């Protein structure tokens, strides 16, 4: 079933976008959950599929789509793979609502054909994390920003080094709906951020968590990573965790997903 299709009119100006190839990592054990994982700006699904394939989560199927190639304001209009247009990677940036909705619908399409007894989740890094959090907001609200009903049920959302789009309007959308409040309160969300992030500053991770919590998303976990080695003294410590992931962070993601989705961990 398709809600927007593989091509859709998204982004500022209603420009049609064509999404790239999706890479699938099959579960090595019994299939209990499927997670769509979204790459960052200028990346593709292949790079993350390799990392996810190595995680000790045998019951999870991973779908790693590639974003459409589109002009990006942050790069002066230079085209690259992006889930939506962006000129500022922060909660204060201008929101490309059409692009966000189109990508959220594309993600929902990828999950809509999964077996009914399989739990569904969305995760991502950087811009992919922002798109994942927008999907979380659409799920809780029960519809996309356009008013089209949101078609799937989410069981977990992961945001690594990301930010919350449409943060200024989220609380208003959630108020006045008992169903939205119930979905928001019961959706597990993990946000992780490096304190030395030079692309999406750490404060944006903190503020995203604050916006979500004040809007009724109470099932939140926020983890920060300073990235300092245990072999350096405090006065000589080097900030190592910038805008990327480290094994410690991915280990925490595995533990969190295993607990929230009730799936096994191997090794």
């Amino acid at each position: 079933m398709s809600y927007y299709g593989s091509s859709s009119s998204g982004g500022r100006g209603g420009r049609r976008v064509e999404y790239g190839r999706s890479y699938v990592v099959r579960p090595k054990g019994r299939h209990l959950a499927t997670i769509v994982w979204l790459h960052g700006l200028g990346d593709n699904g292949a790079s993350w599929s390799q990392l996810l394939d190595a995680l000790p989560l045998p019951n999870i199927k991973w779908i790693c789509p590639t974003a459409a190639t589109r002009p990006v304001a942050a790069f002066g209009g230079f085209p690259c793979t992006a889930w939506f247009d962006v000129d500022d990677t922060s909660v204060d940036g201008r929101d490309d609502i059409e692009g966000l909705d189109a990508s959220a619908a594309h993600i929902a399409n990828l999950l809509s054909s999964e077996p009914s007894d399989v739990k569904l989740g969305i995760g991502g890094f950087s811009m992919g994390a922002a798109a994942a959090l927008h999907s979380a907001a659409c799920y809780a609200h029960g519809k996309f920003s356009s008013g089209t009903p949101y078609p799937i049920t989410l069981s977990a959302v992961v945001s690594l080094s990301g930010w919350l789009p449409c943060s200024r309007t989220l609380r208003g959308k959630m108020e006045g709906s008992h169903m939205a409040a119930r979905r928001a309160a019961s959706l597990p969300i993990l946000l992780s951020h490096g304190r030395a992030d030079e692309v999406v500053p750490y404060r944006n991770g903190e503020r995203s968590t604050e916006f979500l919590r004040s809007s009724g998303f109470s099932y939140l976990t926020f983890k920060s990573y300073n990235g300092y080695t245990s072999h350096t003294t405090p006065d000589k410590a080097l900030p190592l965790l910038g805008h990327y992931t480290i094994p410690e962070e991915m280990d925490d993601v595995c533990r969190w997903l295993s607990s929230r989705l009730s799936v096994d961990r191997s090794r």
Side-chain angles (χ1 to χ4, degrees):
M1 185 174 184
S2 177
Y3 300 92
Y4 272 70
S6 60
S7 65
S8 60
S9 57
R12 292 167 189 157
R15 178 179 178 272
R16 291 189 66 81
V17 294
E18 296 286 341
Y19 292 94
R21 177 182 171 185
S22 290
Y23 298 81
V24 177
V25 178
R26 301 290 176 184
K28 299 172 178 63
R30 182 185 172 196
H31 183 195
L32 299 178
T34 298
I35 298 177
V36 168
W37 191 271
L38 308 170
H39 62 74
L41 182 61
D43 203 356
N44 59 64
S47 59
W48 275 97
S49 68
Q50 298 169 18
L51 172 61
L52 297 170
D53 189 30
L55 295 183
L57 294 169
N59 303 124
I60 294 180
K61 171 185 174 181
W62 302 92
I63 302 175
C64 303
T66 300
T69 298
R70 70 182 85 203
V72 176
F75 294 159
F78 184 82
C80 67
T81 51
W83 297 110
F84 50 92
D85 191 15
V86 63
D87 50 20
D88 181 11
T89 56
S90 78
V91 293
D92 298 315
R94 189 169 44 149
D95 295 312
D96 174 17
I97 296 176
E98 288 184 54
L100 284 160
D101 265 10
S103 285
H106 179 64
I107 297 161
N109 287 345
L110 294 173
L111 290 169
S112 63
S113 60
E114 293 300 292
S116 59
D117 60 342
V118 166
K119 295 178 181 178
L120 307 178
I122 302 173
F125 173 78
S126 190
M127 173 180 268
L133 291 178
H134 180 70
S135 292
C138 291
Y139 161 69
H141 192 214
K143 54 189 173 183
F144 299 101
S145 302
S146 63
T148 304
Y150 191 78
I152 61 173
T153 299
L154 295 179
S155 296
V157 173
V158 178
S159 166
L160 306 184
S161 305
W163 72 96
L164 174 67
C166 306
S167 58
R168 296 176 293 274
T169 59
L170 179 59
R171 186 172 180 177
K173 288 181 177 180
M174 300 303 298
E175 290 177 343
S177 170
H178 294 299
M179 186 63 72
R182 189 178 303 118
R183 283 192 292 257
S186 62
L187 177 63
I189 302 178
L190 171 66
L191 299 97
S192 299
H193 221 104
R195 290 184 177 273
D197 195 323
E198 72 286 359
V199 177
V200 182
Y202 174 76
R203 180 60 181 145
N204 281 295
E206 286 187 316
R207 291 180 66 198
S208 296
T209 304
E210 293 164 5
F211 278 121
L212 286 164
R213 187 166 281 123
S214 68
S215 300
F217 292 83
S218 55
Y219 201 175
L220 293 178
T221 302
F222 179 72
K223 296 187 70 68
S224 61
Y225 299 86
N226 58 29
Y228 298 150
T229 68
S230 59
H231 306 295
T232 55
T233 59
D235 60 321
K236 295 182 179 179
L238 300 175
L240 298 180
L241 186 57
H243 196 62
Y244 49 87
T245 61
I246 56 175
E248 177 191 356
E249 183 179 26
M250 296 310 296
D251 286 346
D252 288 341
V253 169
C254 288
R255 279 191 288 270
W256 187 87
L257 286 173
S258 177
S259 172
R260 299 306 183 275
L261 297 178
S262 300
V263 297
D264 295 333
R265 294 184 66 207
S266 62
R267 298 196 296 272

